[in-house]
Amino acid sequence: MKRIETAMYDQLSLLSGRANPALAREIAGYLGVEMAAVAIGDFPDGELSIRLEQNIRGRDVFIVQPTSPPVNDHLMELLILIDACKRASAERITCVIPYFGYARQDRKDAGRVPITSKLVANLITKAGADRVLTVDLHAAQIQGFFDVPVDHLYAAPVIDQYFQSLELDPEQIVVMSPDEGSIKRALQHVDKLGGSLVIIDKRRANAMETKQANLIGGPIEGKTVFIFDDMIATAGSICGAARVAKQHGASNVFVTATHGVLCGPAPERLAEAPISEIVVTNSIALKPEQQLPNLKTITIAPLLGEAIRRIHRNESVSYLFA
C-alpha cells in the first residue's frame, strides 16, 4: 500500500471503534500515522465503557466506525466516541462511516412509520460530529438529512479497477442491473468496463422476498455477466439475478457490492447460487461464518485515507466523488 510521506499530520488523530478496526489500521498505514489509543469495554449490564487514553485537545479527530451489524451496538459506540472526543476538547470531529446503517427508511412510504435515517443523522449531529465521511449510501438523499457537511464517496472506481485487471474482452461483457433502480449505477460501470447493459424486472413479494420476473435486453448467452449493487444483505435479489443470468446462457457470473452485510441466510444462498466470484469491499468486517471460497474482499482504505488527508488539509475532495 502506498504511504503518504508528509509532516502535516501533527494535529490529526485517527481512532476507531470496534466495528472495523482492521480498516482503520489500513487507513492509518496509508496516512503514515499512529492510531489514537482508546479503551473500549462493556460493563456487566451491557453498557459501554469508553475512555480516550491520549490527549486530543485542539486536534482534528477522525473516528472510523461503520454502523454495521450489530447496528445498535456500533451506532451507540459511535455516539459515545463522539461525545468523548467533544468533551476532550477536540477541534473538529469527523465521523468516517464506511457503511451507514438504518438507510432503508429514508422516506415516509406508508402511514405511521418513522424516517429512521433522519433520526440517526440527528443523533450523530447532536452528539457533536462536525462532518461525516461515508461510502455508497443506500439512498443518496440521506446526505441532506445531516446538518453538517457530508462527503459521499463511491467505491465504483476501486471495484472497476479490480475487474479491469482481469483483462476481459469488452465484447464479452454484460453488465446486469438487478432492478430498475440500479440502472444508473450499472451504466456507470458500462462506461468503465465496456460491454452492454441488461436489466432484471424485479417484483417484491414482501419485505423479505423478491421475484425476478423478466430480463430486459440481451442476448447474454456465452458472455461474462457482472451484477453490481450497493449492498448484499440477505442476498435474495442478487442470487435471483445470478440464476436468471445463468438460465439465459451466461458463461460466468460475477456479483459485486460495496457493502457485504451478508445477514441471515445470505452465506447459504450465495454458496448455492451459480456465481463465479463475489466481490465486496472491506467497508464491513466479515465474520468467519460469512467467508466463502469464492468471496474476494478489496480494500477502500486508500480511498478513505486520501479523503481524510484532503479534509484535514482543507483541500478539495470532489475528484474522489467520480
PDB file of all heavy atoms in Angstrom, residues 162-199:
ATOM      1  N   TYR A 162     -10.392  -3.313 -10.168  1.00  0.00           N
ATOM      2  CA  TYR A 162     -10.143  -4.748  -9.953  1.00  0.00           C
ATOM      3  C   TYR A 162     -10.583  -5.552 -11.171  1.00  0.00           C
ATOM      4  O   TYR A 162      -9.842  -6.425 -11.665  1.00  0.00           O
ATOM      5  CB  TYR A 162     -10.872  -5.233  -8.707  1.00  0.00           C
ATOM      6  CG  TYR A 162     -10.895  -6.741  -8.604  1.00  0.00           C
ATOM      7  CD1 TYR A 162      -9.735  -7.460  -8.312  1.00  0.00           C
ATOM      8  CD2 TYR A 162     -12.072  -7.462  -8.854  1.00  0.00           C
ATOM      9  CE1 TYR A 162      -9.749  -8.844  -8.253  1.00  0.00           C
ATOM     10  CE2 TYR A 162     -12.088  -8.844  -8.792  1.00  0.00           C
ATOM     11  CZ  TYR A 162     -10.924  -9.533  -8.494  1.00  0.00           C
ATOM     12  OH  TYR A 162     -10.931 -10.905  -8.442  1.00  0.00           O
ATOM     13  N   PHE A 163     -11.774  -5.273 -11.693  1.00  0.00           N
ATOM     14  CA  PHE A 163     -12.267  -6.042 -12.832  1.00  0.00           C
ATOM     15  C   PHE A 163     -11.468  -5.746 -14.104  1.00  0.00           C
ATOM     16  O   PHE A 163     -11.279  -6.636 -14.944  1.00  0.00           O
ATOM     17  CB  PHE A 163     -13.755  -5.779 -13.054  1.00  0.00           C
ATOM     18  CG  PHE A 163     -14.635  -6.457 -12.045  1.00  0.00           C
ATOM     19  CD1 PHE A 163     -15.585  -5.753 -11.337  1.00  0.00           C
ATOM     20  CD2 PHE A 163     -14.511  -7.816 -11.803  1.00  0.00           C
ATOM     21  CE1 PHE A 163     -16.394  -6.374 -10.405  1.00  0.00           C
ATOM     22  CE2 PHE A 163     -15.306  -8.457 -10.871  1.00  0.00           C
ATOM     23  CZ  PHE A 163     -16.252  -7.733 -10.171  1.00  0.00           C
ATOM     24  N   GLN A 164     -10.978  -4.521 -14.250  1.00  0.00           N
ATOM     25  CA  GLN A 164     -10.134  -4.202 -15.399  1.00  0.00           C
ATOM     26  C   GLN A 164      -8.835  -5.001 -15.359  1.00  0.00           C
ATOM     27  O   GLN A 164      -8.279  -5.349 -16.405  1.00  0.00           O
ATOM     28  CB  GLN A 164      -9.848  -2.700 -15.433  1.00  0.00           C
ATOM     29  CG  GLN A 164     -11.044  -1.869 -15.884  1.00  0.00           C
ATOM     30  CD  GLN A 164     -10.856  -0.380 -15.652  1.00  0.00           C
ATOM     31  OE1 GLN A 164     -10.029   0.038 -14.837  1.00  0.00           O
ATOM     32  NE2 GLN A 164     -11.628   0.439 -16.354  1.00  0.00           N
ATOM     33  N   SER A 165      -8.377  -5.324 -14.143  1.00  0.00           N
ATOM     34  CA  SER A 165      -7.137  -6.106 -14.015  1.00  0.00           C
ATOM     35  C   SER A 165      -7.309  -7.536 -14.513  1.00  0.00           C
ATOM     36  O   SER A 165      -6.322  -8.229 -14.781  1.00  0.00           O
ATOM     37  CB  SER A 165      -6.669  -6.117 -12.556  1.00  0.00           C
ATOM     38  OG  SER A 165      -7.522  -6.928 -11.749  1.00  0.00           O
ATOM     39  N   LEU A 166      -8.551  -7.999 -14.669  1.00  0.00           N
ATOM     40  CA  LEU A 166      -8.799  -9.344 -15.177  1.00  0.00           C
ATOM     41  C   LEU A 166      -8.610  -9.418 -16.690  1.00  0.00           C
ATOM     42  O   LEU A 166      -8.560 -10.522 -17.249  1.00  0.00           O
ATOM     43  CB  LEU A 166     -10.221  -9.794 -14.809  1.00  0.00           C
ATOM     44  CG  LEU A 166     -10.573  -9.820 -13.315  1.00  0.00           C
ATOM     45  CD1 LEU A 166     -12.007 -10.291 -13.116  1.00  0.00           C
ATOM     46  CD2 LEU A 166      -9.605 -10.702 -12.540  1.00  0.00           C
ATOM     47  N   GLU A 167      -8.551  -8.243 -17.345  1.00  0.00           N
ATOM     48  CA  GLU A 167      -8.276  -8.131 -18.780  1.00  0.00           C
ATOM     49  C   GLU A 167      -9.251  -8.974 -19.607  1.00  0.00           C
ATOM     50  O   GLU A 167      -8.863  -9.756 -20.480  1.00  0.00           O
ATOM     51  CB  GLU A 167      -6.821  -8.526 -19.086  1.00  0.00           C
ATOM     52  CG  GLU A 167      -5.809  -7.609 -18.411  1.00  0.00           C
ATOM     53  CD  GLU A 167      -4.374  -7.965 -18.760  1.00  0.00           C
ATOM     54  OE1 GLU A 167      -4.157  -9.053 -19.358  1.00  0.00           O
ATOM     55  OE2 GLU A 167      -3.487  -7.156 -18.465  1.00  0.00           O
ATOM     56  N   LEU A 168     -10.533  -8.788 -19.344  1.00  0.00           N
ATOM     57  CA  LEU A 168     -11.563  -9.483 -20.109  1.00  0.00           C
ATOM     58  C   LEU A 168     -11.871  -8.716 -21.392  1.00  0.00           C
ATOM     59  O   LEU A 168     -11.709  -7.498 -21.463  1.00  0.00           O
ATOM     60  CB  LEU A 168     -12.840  -9.613 -19.264  1.00  0.00           C
ATOM     61  CG  LEU A 168     -12.703 -10.422 -17.971  1.00  0.00           C
ATOM     62  CD1 LEU A 168     -13.979 -10.306 -17.151  1.00  0.00           C
ATOM     63  CD2 LEU A 168     -12.405 -11.880 -18.268  1.00  0.00           C
ATOM     64  N   ASP A 169     -12.333  -9.424 -22.406  1.00  0.00           N
ATOM     65  CA  ASP A 169     -12.715  -8.815 -23.677  1.00  0.00           C
ATOM     66  C   ASP A 169     -14.007  -8.018 -23.476  1.00  0.00           C
ATOM     67  O   ASP A 169     -15.039  -8.597 -23.099  1.00  0.00           O
ATOM     68  CB  ASP A 169     -12.934  -9.911 -24.722  1.00  0.00           C
ATOM     69  CG  ASP A 169     -13.330  -9.347 -26.085  1.00  0.00           C
ATOM     70  OD1 ASP A 169     -13.391  -8.107 -26.232  1.00  0.00           O
ATOM     71  OD2 ASP A 169     -13.581 -10.156 -26.990  1.00  0.00           O
ATOM     72  N   PRO A 170     -13.988  -6.691 -23.713  1.00  0.00           N
ATOM     73  CA  PRO A 170     -15.207  -5.891 -23.522  1.00  0.00           C
ATOM     74  C   PRO A 170     -16.396  -6.395 -24.333  1.00  0.00           C
ATOM     75  O   PRO A 170     -17.555  -6.224 -23.919  1.00  0.00           O
ATOM     76  CB  PRO A 170     -14.785  -4.491 -23.972  1.00  0.00           C
ATOM     77  CG  PRO A 170     -13.306  -4.462 -23.792  1.00  0.00           C
ATOM     78  CD  PRO A 170     -12.845  -5.856 -24.097  1.00  0.00           C
ATOM     79  N   GLU A 171     -16.127  -7.018 -25.479  1.00  0.00           N
ATOM     80  CA  GLU A 171     -17.214  -7.536 -26.310  1.00  0.00           C
ATOM     81  C   GLU A 171     -17.942  -8.702 -25.644  1.00  0.00           C
ATOM     82  O   GLU A 171     -19.075  -9.028 -26.017  1.00  0.00           O
ATOM     83  CB  GLU A 171     -16.662  -7.987 -27.668  1.00  0.00           C
ATOM     84  CG  GLU A 171     -16.087  -6.864 -28.516  1.00  0.00           C
ATOM     85  CD  GLU A 171     -17.142  -5.847 -28.905  1.00  0.00           C
ATOM     86  OE1 GLU A 171     -18.280  -6.267 -29.193  1.00  0.00           O
ATOM     87  OE2 GLU A 171     -16.822  -4.640 -28.895  1.00  0.00           O
ATOM     88  N   GLN A 172     -17.294  -9.327 -24.652  1.00  0.00           N
ATOM     89  CA  GLN A 172     -17.875 -10.476 -23.966  1.00  0.00           C
ATOM     90  C   GLN A 172     -18.465 -10.111 -22.608  1.00  0.00           C
ATOM     91  O   GLN A 172     -18.858 -10.999 -21.847  1.00  0.00           O
ATOM     92  CB  GLN A 172     -16.817 -11.577 -23.787  1.00  0.00           C
ATOM     93  CG  GLN A 172     -16.330 -12.178 -25.094  1.00  0.00           C
ATOM     94  CD  GLN A 172     -17.465 -12.806 -25.888  1.00  0.00           C
ATOM     95  OE1 GLN A 172     -18.254 -13.587 -25.349  1.00  0.00           O
ATOM     96  NE2 GLN A 172     -17.560 -12.453 -27.165  1.00  0.00           N
ATOM     97  N   ILE A 173     -18.529  -8.807 -22.313  1.00  0.00           N
ATOM     98  CA  ILE A 173     -19.010  -8.345 -21.007  1.00  0.00           C
ATOM     99  C   ILE A 173     -20.455  -7.869 -21.114  1.00  0.00           C
ATOM    100  O   ILE A 173     -20.824  -7.151 -22.039  1.00  0.00           O
ATOM    101  CB  ILE A 173     -18.124  -7.201 -20.472  1.00  0.00           C
ATOM    102  CG1 ILE A 173     -16.734  -7.739 -20.102  1.00  0.00           C
ATOM    103  CG2 ILE A 173     -18.772  -6.526 -19.260  1.00  0.00           C
ATOM    104  CD1 ILE A 173     -15.769  -6.653 -19.668  1.00  0.00           C
ATOM    105  N   VAL A 174     -21.261  -8.280 -20.151  1.00  0.00           N
ATOM    106  CA  VAL A 174     -22.616  -7.758 -19.988  1.00  0.00           C
ATOM    107  C   VAL A 174     -22.761  -7.301 -18.546  1.00  0.00           C
ATOM    108  O   VAL A 174     -22.460  -8.054 -17.612  1.00  0.00           O
ATOM    109  CB  VAL A 174     -23.692  -8.827 -20.304  1.00  0.00           C
ATOM    110  CG1 VAL A 174     -25.079  -8.293 -19.952  1.00  0.00           C
ATOM    111  CG2 VAL A 174     -23.637  -9.238 -21.759  1.00  0.00           C
ATOM    112  N   VAL A 175     -23.182  -6.059 -18.359  1.00  0.00           N
ATOM    113  CA  VAL A 175     -23.448  -5.534 -17.021  1.00  0.00           C
ATOM    114  C   VAL A 175     -24.947  -5.642 -16.771  1.00  0.00           C
ATOM    115  O   VAL A 175     -25.756  -5.123 -17.550  1.00  0.00           O
ATOM    116  CB  VAL A 175     -22.976  -4.073 -16.881  1.00  0.00           C
ATOM    117  CG1 VAL A 175     -23.373  -3.519 -15.502  1.00  0.00           C
ATOM    118  CG2 VAL A 175     -21.468  -3.983 -17.080  1.00  0.00           C
ATOM    119  N   MET A 176     -25.303  -6.329 -15.700  1.00  0.00           N
ATOM    120  CA  MET A 176     -26.715  -6.567 -15.391  1.00  0.00           C
ATOM    121  C   MET A 176     -27.138  -5.712 -14.199  1.00  0.00           C
ATOM    122  O   MET A 176     -26.517  -5.757 -13.140  1.00  0.00           O
ATOM    123  CB  MET A 176     -26.941  -8.050 -15.072  1.00  0.00           C
ATOM    124  CG  MET A 176     -28.366  -8.380 -14.638  1.00  0.00           C
ATOM    125  SD  MET A 176     -28.577 -10.151 -14.283  1.00  0.00           S
ATOM    126  CE  MET A 176     -28.670 -10.794 -15.964  1.00  0.00           C
ATOM    127  N   SER A 177     -28.197  -4.938 -14.382  1.00  0.00           N
ATOM    128  CA  SER A 177     -28.781  -4.189 -13.270  1.00  0.00           C
ATOM    129  C   SER A 177     -29.789  -5.090 -12.567  1.00  0.00           C
ATOM    130  O   SER A 177     -30.716  -5.600 -13.207  1.00  0.00           O
ATOM    131  CB  SER A 177     -29.478  -2.929 -13.789  1.00  0.00           C
ATOM    132  OG  SER A 177     -30.150  -2.264 -12.739  1.00  0.00           O
ATOM    133  N   PRO A 178     -29.634  -5.322 -11.242  1.00  0.00           N
ATOM    134  CA  PRO A 178     -30.524  -6.265 -10.550  1.00  0.00           C
ATOM    135  C   PRO A 178     -31.958  -5.771 -10.399  1.00  0.00           C
ATOM    136  O   PRO A 178     -32.848  -6.533 -10.054  1.00  0.00           O
ATOM    137  CB  PRO A 178     -29.860  -6.439  -9.175  1.00  0.00           C
ATOM    138  CG  PRO A 178     -29.068  -5.191  -8.988  1.00  0.00           C
ATOM    139  CD  PRO A 178     -28.601  -4.779 -10.345  1.00  0.00           C
ATOM    140  N   ASP A 179     -32.193  -4.476 -10.657  1.00  0.00           N
ATOM    141  CA  ASP A 179     -33.543  -3.920 -10.630  1.00  0.00           C
ATOM    142  C   ASP A 179     -33.520  -2.589 -11.378  1.00  0.00           C
ATOM    143  O   ASP A 179     -32.458  -2.070 -11.749  1.00  0.00           O
ATOM    144  CB  ASP A 179     -34.060  -3.742  -9.189  1.00  0.00           C
ATOM    145  CG  ASP A 179     -33.091  -2.965  -8.308  1.00  0.00           C
ATOM    146  OD1 ASP A 179     -32.640  -1.888  -8.726  1.00  0.00           O
ATOM    147  OD2 ASP A 179     -32.777  -3.451  -7.208  1.00  0.00           O
ATOM    148  N   GLU A 180     -34.700  -2.003 -11.560  1.00  0.00           N
ATOM    149  CA  GLU A 180     -34.792  -0.750 -12.311  1.00  0.00           C
ATOM    150  C   GLU A 180     -34.094   0.399 -11.597  1.00  0.00           C
ATOM    151  O   GLU A 180     -33.566   1.313 -12.226  1.00  0.00           O
ATOM    152  CB  GLU A 180     -36.265  -0.388 -12.561  1.00  0.00           C
ATOM    153  CG  GLU A 180     -37.010  -1.359 -13.473  1.00  0.00           C
ATOM    154  CD  GLU A 180     -37.635  -2.526 -12.713  1.00  0.00           C
ATOM    155  OE1 GLU A 180     -37.188  -2.786 -11.566  1.00  0.00           O
ATOM    156  OE2 GLU A 180     -38.541  -3.175 -13.255  1.00  0.00           O
ATOM    157  N   GLY A 181     -34.071   0.348 -10.272  1.00  0.00           N
ATOM    158  CA  GLY A 181     -33.466   1.428  -9.501  1.00  0.00           C
ATOM    159  C   GLY A 181     -31.953   1.481  -9.576  1.00  0.00           C
ATOM    160  O   GLY A 181     -31.344   2.472  -9.172  1.00  0.00           O
ATOM    161  N   SER A 182     -31.323   0.427 -10.090  1.00  0.00           N
ATOM    162  CA  SER A 182     -29.864   0.370 -10.161  1.00  0.00           C
ATOM    163  C   SER A 182     -29.321   0.631 -11.567  1.00  0.00           C
ATOM    164  O   SER A 182     -28.139   0.423 -11.818  1.00  0.00           O
ATOM    165  CB  SER A 182     -29.375  -1.004  -9.670  1.00  0.00           C
ATOM    166  OG  SER A 182     -29.777  -1.255  -8.346  1.00  0.00           O
ATOM    167  N   ILE A 183     -30.180   1.090 -12.464  1.00  0.00           N
ATOM    168  CA  ILE A 183     -29.760   1.277 -13.860  1.00  0.00           C
ATOM    169  C   ILE A 183     -28.646   2.313 -13.972  1.00  0.00           C
ATOM    170  O   ILE A 183     -27.660   2.110 -14.699  1.00  0.00           O
ATOM    171  CB  ILE A 183     -30.967   1.674 -14.735  1.00  0.00           C
ATOM    172  CG1 ILE A 183     -31.953   0.517 -14.809  1.00  0.00           C
ATOM    173  CG2 ILE A 183     -30.498   2.077 -16.134  1.00  0.00           C
ATOM    174  CD1 ILE A 183     -33.242   0.850 -15.537  1.00  0.00           C
ATOM    175  N   LYS A 184     -28.774   3.429 -13.253  1.00  0.00           N
ATOM    176  CA  LYS A 184     -27.758   4.483 -13.345  1.00  0.00           C
ATOM    177  C   LYS A 184     -26.399   3.950 -12.904  1.00  0.00           C
ATOM    178  O   LYS A 184     -25.375   4.209 -13.551  1.00  0.00           O
ATOM    179  CB  LYS A 184     -28.162   5.680 -12.483  1.00  0.00           C
ATOM    180  CG  LYS A 184     -27.189   6.850 -12.569  1.00  0.00           C
ATOM    181  CD  LYS A 184     -27.672   8.039 -11.741  1.00  0.00           C
ATOM    182  CE  LYS A 184     -26.679   9.191 -11.816  1.00  0.00           C
ATOM    183  NZ  LYS A 184     -27.138  10.348 -10.998  1.00  0.00           N
ATOM    184  N   ARG A 185     -26.375   3.194 -11.788  1.00  0.00           N
ATOM    185  CA  ARG A 185     -25.114   2.609 -11.315  1.00  0.00           C
ATOM    186  C   ARG A 185     -24.544   1.652 -12.364  1.00  0.00           C
ATOM    187  O   ARG A 185     -23.343   1.669 -12.646  1.00  0.00           O
ATOM    188  CB  ARG A 185     -25.341   1.878  -9.993  1.00  0.00           C
ATOM    189  CG  ARG A 185     -24.075   1.197  -9.456  1.00  0.00           C
ATOM    190  CD  ARG A 185     -24.334   0.342  -8.239  1.00  0.00           C
ATOM    191  NE  ARG A 185     -24.838   1.109  -7.117  1.00  0.00           N
ATOM    192  CZ  ARG A 185     -26.074   1.054  -6.676  1.00  0.00           C
ATOM    193  NH1 ARG A 185     -26.963   0.253  -7.257  1.00  0.00           N
ATOM    194  NH2 ARG A 185     -26.468   1.781  -5.660  1.00  0.00           N
ATOM    195  N   ALA A 186     -25.402   0.828 -12.953  1.00  0.00           N
ATOM    196  CA  ALA A 186     -24.938  -0.142 -13.947  1.00  0.00           C
ATOM    197  C   ALA A 186     -24.350   0.564 -15.169  1.00  0.00           C
ATOM    198  O   ALA A 186     -23.325   0.131 -15.717  1.00  0.00           O
ATOM    199  CB  ALA A 186     -26.095  -1.050 -14.360  1.00  0.00           C
ATOM    200  N   LEU A 187     -24.972   1.651 -15.611  1.00  0.00           N
ATOM    201  CA  LEU A 187     -24.476   2.388 -16.772  1.00  0.00           C
ATOM    202  C   LEU A 187     -23.085   2.971 -16.512  1.00  0.00           C
ATOM    203  O   LEU A 187     -22.250   3.030 -17.423  1.00  0.00           O
ATOM    204  CB  LEU A 187     -25.458   3.497 -17.149  1.00  0.00           C
ATOM    205  CG  LEU A 187     -26.723   3.049 -17.891  1.00  0.00           C
ATOM    206  CD1 LEU A 187     -27.719   4.197 -17.984  1.00  0.00           C
ATOM    207  CD2 LEU A 187     -26.376   2.517 -19.272  1.00  0.00           C
ATOM    208  N   GLN A 188     -22.836   3.398 -15.279  1.00  0.00           N
ATOM    209  CA  GLN A 188     -21.514   3.927 -14.937  1.00  0.00           C
ATOM    210  C   GLN A 188     -20.442   2.841 -15.071  1.00  0.00           C
ATOM    211  O   GLN A 188     -19.321   3.105 -15.520  1.00  0.00           O
ATOM    212  CB  GLN A 188     -21.531   4.501 -13.515  1.00  0.00           C
ATOM    213  CG  GLN A 188     -22.370   5.771 -13.393  1.00  0.00           C
ATOM    214  CD  GLN A 188     -22.571   6.208 -11.952  1.00  0.00           C
ATOM    215  OE1 GLN A 188     -22.414   5.423 -11.016  1.00  0.00           O
ATOM    216  NE2 GLN A 188     -22.928   7.472 -11.759  1.00  0.00           N
ATOM    217  N   HIS A 189     -20.798   1.611 -14.712  1.00  0.00           N
ATOM    218  CA  HIS A 189     -19.851   0.509 -14.856  1.00  0.00           C
ATOM    219  C   HIS A 189     -19.662   0.136 -16.326  1.00  0.00           C
ATOM    220  O   HIS A 189     -18.560  -0.257 -16.736  1.00  0.00           O
ATOM    221  CB  HIS A 189     -20.324  -0.706 -14.050  1.00  0.00           C
ATOM    222  CG  HIS A 189     -20.224  -0.516 -12.570  1.00  0.00           C
ATOM    223  ND1 HIS A 189     -19.020  -0.494 -11.897  1.00  0.00           N
ATOM    224  CD2 HIS A 189     -21.180  -0.331 -11.616  1.00  0.00           C
ATOM    225  CE1 HIS A 189     -19.232  -0.307 -10.597  1.00  0.00           C
ATOM    226  NE2 HIS A 189     -20.533  -0.214 -10.407  1.00  0.00           N
ATOM    227  N   VAL A 190     -20.716   0.248 -17.126  1.00  0.00           N
ATOM    228  CA  VAL A 190     -20.586   0.004 -18.557  1.00  0.00           C
ATOM    229  C   VAL A 190     -19.593   0.988 -19.174  1.00  0.00           C
ATOM    230  O   VAL A 190     -18.766   0.611 -20.018  1.00  0.00           O
ATOM    231  CB  VAL A 190     -21.962   0.112 -19.253  1.00  0.00           C
ATOM    232  CG1 VAL A 190     -21.795   0.097 -20.777  1.00  0.00           C
ATOM    233  CG2 VAL A 190     -22.874  -1.037 -18.826  1.00  0.00           C
ATOM    234  N   ASP A 191     -19.661   2.251 -18.741  1.00  0.00           N
ATOM    235  CA  ASP A 191     -18.741   3.268 -19.265  1.00  0.00           C
ATOM    236  C   ASP A 191     -17.286   2.895 -18.985  1.00  0.00           C
ATOM    237  O   ASP A 191     -16.398   3.177 -19.791  1.00  0.00           O
ATOM    238  CB  ASP A 191     -19.048   4.633 -18.643  1.00  0.00           C
ATOM    239  CG  ASP A 191     -20.352   5.223 -19.159  1.00  0.00           C
ATOM    240  OD1 ASP A 191     -20.816   4.779 -20.229  1.00  0.00           O
ATOM    241  OD2 ASP A 191     -20.904   6.118 -18.491  1.00  0.00           O
ATOM    242  N   LYS A 192     -17.025   2.267 -17.851  1.00  0.00           N
ATOM    243  CA  LYS A 192     -15.650   1.920 -17.473  1.00  0.00           C
ATOM    244  C   LYS A 192     -15.196   0.576 -18.031  1.00  0.00           C
ATOM    245  O   LYS A 192     -14.050   0.425 -18.446  1.00  0.00           O
ATOM    246  CB  LYS A 192     -15.531   1.896 -15.941  1.00  0.00           C
ATOM    247  CG  LYS A 192     -15.722   3.247 -15.274  1.00  0.00           C
ATOM    248  CD  LYS A 192     -14.600   4.207 -15.623  1.00  0.00           C
ATOM    249  CE  LYS A 192     -14.752   5.516 -14.861  1.00  0.00           C
ATOM    250  NZ  LYS A 192     -13.673   6.480 -15.212  1.00  0.00           N
ATOM    251  N   LEU A 193     -16.103  -0.406 -18.028  1.00  0.00           N
ATOM    252  CA  LEU A 193     -15.717  -1.770 -18.391  1.00  0.00           C
ATOM    253  C   LEU A 193     -16.032  -2.124 -19.840  1.00  0.00           C
ATOM    254  O   LEU A 193     -15.483  -3.072 -20.385  1.00  0.00           O
ATOM    255  CB  LEU A 193     -16.417  -2.778 -17.469  1.00  0.00           C
ATOM    256  CG  LEU A 193     -16.122  -2.652 -15.972  1.00  0.00           C
ATOM    257  CD1 LEU A 193     -16.969  -3.654 -15.190  1.00  0.00           C
ATOM    258  CD2 LEU A 193     -14.648  -2.868 -15.680  1.00  0.00           C
ATOM    259  N   GLY A 194     -16.949  -1.341 -20.453  1.00  0.00           N
ATOM    260  CA  GLY A 194     -17.408  -1.695 -21.790  1.00  0.00           C
ATOM    261  C   GLY A 194     -18.548  -2.691 -21.715  1.00  0.00           C
ATOM    262  O   GLY A 194     -19.127  -2.942 -20.659  1.00  0.00           O
ATOM    263  N   GLY A 195     -18.890  -3.279 -22.850  1.00  0.00           N
ATOM    264  CA  GLY A 195     -19.958  -4.263 -22.877  1.00  0.00           C
ATOM    265  C   GLY A 195     -21.327  -3.627 -23.028  1.00  0.00           C
ATOM    266  O   GLY A 195     -21.468  -2.450 -23.350  1.00  0.00           O
ATOM    267  N   SER A 196     -22.350  -4.415 -22.763  1.00  0.00           N
ATOM    268  CA  SER A 196     -23.736  -3.973 -22.920  1.00  0.00           C
ATOM    269  C   SER A 196     -24.470  -4.042 -21.583  1.00  0.00           C
ATOM    270  O   SER A 196     -23.959  -4.573 -20.597  1.00  0.00           O
ATOM    271  CB  SER A 196     -24.447  -4.836 -23.963  1.00  0.00           C
ATOM    272  OG  SER A 196     -24.408  -6.204 -23.583  1.00  0.00           O
ATOM    273  N   LEU A 197     -25.687  -3.516 -21.574  1.00  0.00           N
ATOM    274  CA  LEU A 197     -26.492  -3.454 -20.353  1.00  0.00           C
ATOM    275  C   LEU A 197     -27.754  -4.286 -20.511  1.00  0.00           C
ATOM    276  O   LEU A 197     -28.430  -4.224 -21.538  1.00  0.00           O
ATOM    277  CB  LEU A 197     -26.881  -1.995 -20.060  1.00  0.00           C
ATOM    278  CG  LEU A 197     -27.870  -1.760 -18.903  1.00  0.00           C
ATOM    279  CD1 LEU A 197     -27.200  -2.033 -17.562  1.00  0.00           C
ATOM    280  CD2 LEU A 197     -28.411  -0.334 -18.950  1.00  0.00           C
ATOM    281  N   VAL A 198     -28.066  -5.068 -19.462  1.00  0.00           N
ATOM    282  CA  VAL A 198     -29.361  -5.733 -19.366  1.00  0.00           C
ATOM    283  C   VAL A 198     -29.944  -5.431 -17.987  1.00  0.00           C
ATOM    284  O   VAL A 198     -29.214  -5.091 -17.051  1.00  0.00           O
ATOM    285  CB  VAL A 198     -29.263  -7.262 -19.580  1.00  0.00           C
ATOM    286  CG1 VAL A 198     -28.779  -7.577 -20.983  1.00  0.00           C
ATOM    287  CG2 VAL A 198     -28.376  -7.903 -18.529  1.00  0.00           C
ATOM    288  N   ILE A 199     -31.255  -5.569 -17.878  1.00  0.00           N
ATOM    289  CA  ILE A 199     -31.962  -5.172 -16.652  1.00  0.00           C
ATOM    290  C   ILE A 199     -32.882  -6.302 -16.212  1.00  0.00           C
ATOM    291  O   ILE A 199     -33.588  -6.900 -17.029  1.00  0.00           O
ATOM    292  CB  ILE A 199     -32.790  -3.879 -16.884  1.00  0.00           C
ATOM    293  CG1 ILE A 199     -31.893  -2.755 -17.411  1.00  0.00           C
ATOM    294  CG2 ILE A 199     -33.495  -3.456 -15.607  1.00  0.00           C
ATOM    295  CD1 ILE A 199     -32.668  -1.639 -18.092  1.00  0.00           C
TER     296      ILE A 199
END
